[in-house]
Amino acid sequence: MDRRLSIAPMMDWTDRHCRAFHRALTSRALLYTEMVTAPAVIHGDRERLLGFDPVEHPVALQLGGSDPEQLAEAARIGEAFGYDEINLNVGCPSDRVQSGRFGACLMREPALVADCMASIRAAVSVPATVKCRIGVDDQDPEVSLFETVDACAAIGVDVFIVHARKAWLQGLSPKENRDVPPLDYGLVRRLKRERPHLSVTINGGVASLGEAEAHLDAADGVQLDGVMLGRAAYHEPGILGQADRRLFGASTPDVDAFEAIDRYRPYMAARLSEGVHLPAMTRHMLGLMHGRPGARAFRRILTVEAVKAGSGLEVVDRAVDAVREAEARMEPRTEAA
């Protein structure tokens, strides 16, 4: 199976502009939409919810729901829009998903998850995958994870993205659920060891490409199939510029921050001409210069100036110039040292 690097679906973050920006940094990573509920896909504004630019490929649509028929219809709509994969969310712990009987609470109902996946698989020709937790609340993860995976594998699902934490549906907020429950990477590796025919991608707490490489290291005899990055890729997107080389062995040069902006520029210009406001696109770039001279000025310009009426790409140019000027000021000191 092909190695997978994917960028986690994150509500209010991984919108179409974010994905287009991330694609400017990596050509190989699989990008995910924010979770969209099946009823919203069926009854809502589909272009607003599902529309994306061809530059984003490969891109997966993540669905939320627990009604097999609704999920099948939403999956068909997603495939018609051109998505490369349909993914079912079995991991989100928010109050909204609990009240709607989807997301992480489905870890308690592996048979229902399998029914949902069977309907999705029957509805589309693109891959149908599952993103899950290792369990919820008082479940024993060694039971809940394997029950969910095995139920889905029995109906033909063979790709699983596993967030290596429980979700506590009572007592922890969604934010706390990203950090407080302990990570159990060993259990995810055990899943791959005991189910070697399945594709298993590990997710949760992966803070760097170095950590991603370590997860993909088969030193213990277990070869995971992929790693999913979340907040690390969002807050320090520059690391994605090295991903194709380091994780896929690509021979092409790394993409630096300036080149990424040049690649993203035509997309921004096209959206500006359609009436999209500049901050909707530049907000995803704020961490691009992390650790570089001028990074603070870069963020300030994009944050303060981009929101002004009529702001265009000249604001991005000023932000880039601030970094170049700061780096130029640093050069004589480096030579003197």
Side-chain angles (χ1 to χ4, degrees):
M1 296 180 182
D2 293 335
R3 173 176 284 190
R4 292 166 62 101
L5 169 69
S6 42
I7 311 303
M10 294 174 282
M11 294 300 293
D12 301 321
W13 288 5
T14 53
D15 62 20
R16 61 199 302 178
H17 309 310
C18 176
R19 298 191 305 266
F21 172 54
H22 283 172
R23 182 59 71 218
L25 287 151
T26 169
S27 63
R28 301 287 293 275
L30 176 64
L31 307 178
Y32 276 73
T33 69
E34 305 164 271
M35 181 183 67
V36 187
T37 66
V41 171
I42 296 167
H43 303 294
D45 182 341
R46 294 177 186 173
E47 181 56 38
R48 181 180 64 82
L49 293 169
L50 300 182
F52 67 95
D53 191 280
V55 73
E56 297 174 39
H57 288 294
V59 58
L61 169 64
Q62 186 180 75
L63 294 175
S66 59
D67 182 299
E69 291 185 6
Q70 286 185 342
L71 285 165
E73 184 174 353
R76 280 192 290 268
I77 293 167
E79 183 179 37
F81 261 78
Y83 283 97
D84 301 290
E85 177 179 306
I86 306 297
N87 178 262
L88 180 64
N89 183 309
V90 190
C92 181
S94 74
D95 293 339
R96 185 166 70 94
V97 303
Q98 292 181 57
S99 63
R101 196 189 176 197
F102 59 100
C105 61
L106 287 176
M107 292 298 297
R108 297 194 185 107
E109 301 185 74
L112 177 57
V113 176
D115 288 343
C116 292
M117 292 307 301
S119 293
I120 292 172
R121 289 189 78 245
V124 300
S125 59
V126 296
T129 67
V130 173
K131 185 176 188 295
C132 65
R133 292 273 183 150
I134 60 174
V136 296
D137 296 338
D138 295 325
Q139 284 185 317
D140 180 351
E142 295 189 3
V143 176
S144 56
L145 175 61
F146 281 78
E147 284 184 344
T148 298
V149 169
D150 288 345
C152 293
I155 57 91
V157 176
D158 59 6
V159 177
F160 298 86
I161 302 95
V162 184
H163 187 153
R165 283 189 176 96
K166 270 189 177 185
W168 285 95
L169 303 180
Q170 303 297 325
L172 291 181
S173 68
K175 182 178 185 299
E176 290 170 326
N177 264 298
R178 295 195 296 264
D179 299 297
V180 174
L183 288 157
D184 191 348
Y185 293 140
L187 184 62
V188 181
R189 300 189 77 85
R190 180 186 148 197
L191 175 68
K192 178 62 182 179
R193 181 186 298 112
E194 297 183 10
R195 309 289 190 273
H197 59 292
L198 300 178
S199 172
V200 177
T201 289
I202 198 165
N203 171 232
V206 184
S208 67
L209 286 186
E211 290 184 21
E213 289 172 318
H215 281 298
L216 293 170
D217 185 356
D220 61 355
V222 177
Q223 182 63 69
L224 291 172
D225 301 280
V227 176
M228 176 176 274
L229 294 175
R231 285 169 289 165
Y234 190 87
H235 292 305
E236 296 182 37
I239 66 174
L240 295 177
Q242 305 173 29
D244 291 356
R245 172 180 58 85
R246 293 176 61 176
L247 299 184
F248 294 98
S251 58
T252 51
D254 292 349
V255 179
D256 72 9
F258 299 120
E259 182 181 354
I261 292 173
D262 287 342
R263 291 181 174 190
Y264 189 40
R265 190 182 182 91
Y267 175 89
M268 289 189 287
R271 300 293 82 76
L272 285 168
S273 70
E274 295 168 354
V276 175
H277 293 164
L278 185 65
M281 296 176 284
T282 56
R283 71 187 184 99
H284 304 298
M285 301 166 54
L286 297 181
L288 180 62
M289 300 295 177
H290 178 81
R292 300 180 71 147
R296 182 178 296 179
F298 179 83
R299 292 192 302 271
R300 179 187 57 77
I301 292 168
L302 292 185
T303 301
V304 175
E305 297 189 26
V307 299
K308 296 178 181 177
S311 293
L313 293 179
E314 70 283 351
V315 173
V316 177
D317 293 337
R318 285 198 292 273
V320 169
D321 288 343
V323 176
R324 292 193 183 278
E325 291 166 5
E327 290 185 336
R329 289 194 296 270
M330 294 292 291
E331 289 175 3
R333 299 183 193 175
T334 302
E335 293 171 2

